[in-house]
Amino acid sequence: MLEPFIEQKSRQLIFYLSRFLRGHLPHRELHLFVWDTLEEWSQLRVKSWRPETLREQVFWYLLYQIEYWSEPELKQNAHIRRELRYCLSFLHGYGQLPCHCVGVRP
C-alpha cells in the first residue's frame, strides 16, 4: 500500500520539480502538487513517522525543501538548486544517496 504510493508520487515529483527547476512550471503548480500529495497521504492514515526506504526518505525531504524555501530562493539560490537536483537524481535511480537528506513522514 505505501510502496506504490511513494513510487507513483516520486515519479510525479521528479516530473514537477525538474520542470520547475528548468523554468517550465510555475511555483504555484509545484506548491499545489505538494499539498495534493499531503492530502492523499493523510487519507492513508499511516501512523509511523519513519520512512521504510531510503527513496521514501529522500522523497519526504524534497517535499519539505520545496515548502521550506521561498520561490525566489528555489529559483535563484545555486546551492539549493544543486541540492534539489542531487536528490532528484537519487529518486530517478542514477544518483547516490545524499548524505544530508533526513526526511521523515508528515
Side-chain angles (χ1 to χ4, degrees):
M1 169 172 87
L2 297 180
E3 189 173 328
F5 176 87
I6 296 299
E7 181 60 33
Q8 176 190 18
K9 292 301 176 182
S10 291
R11 285 193 310 269
Q12 291 174 351
L13 177 58
I14 291 166
F15 174 80
Y16 278 91
L17 186 53
S18 296
R19 289 188 48 87
F20 173 79
L21 291 173
R22 289 191 310 263
H24 299 306
L25 185 80
H27 182 261
R28 184 180 190 294
E29 291 297 318
L30 183 61
H31 175 74
L32 287 175
F33 165 75
V34 170
W35 286 98
D36 286 347
T37 299
L38 291 173
E39 174 64 29
E40 290 176 40
W41 176 259
S42 72
Q43 293 173 12
L44 296 177
R45 303 198 192 298
V46 177
K47 302 284 189 233
S48 173
W49 58 269
R50 180 175 288 164
E52 292 180 358
T53 65
L54 296 174
R55 182 177 175 90
E56 183 183 354
Q57 180 175 319
V58 173
F59 171 80
W60 291 120
Y61 176 81
L62 275 174
L63 287 186
Y64 175 80
Q65 294 300 306
I66 291 168
E67 288 303 305
Y68 179 80
W69 298 110
S70 68
E71 180 179 359
E73 288 171 310
L74 289 170
K75 286 184 174 180
Q76 299 166 4
N77 186 308
H79 175 73
I80 293 170
R81 292 173 63 82
R82 188 171 38 255
E83 183 177 309
L84 295 175
R85 283 191 184 104
Y86 194 56
C87 290
L88 278 176
S89 68
F90 178 78
L91 277 187
H92 209 283
Y94 57 80
Q96 294 181 332
L97 175 67
C99 62
H100 59 277
C101 285
V102 180
V104 295
R105 293 174 175 168

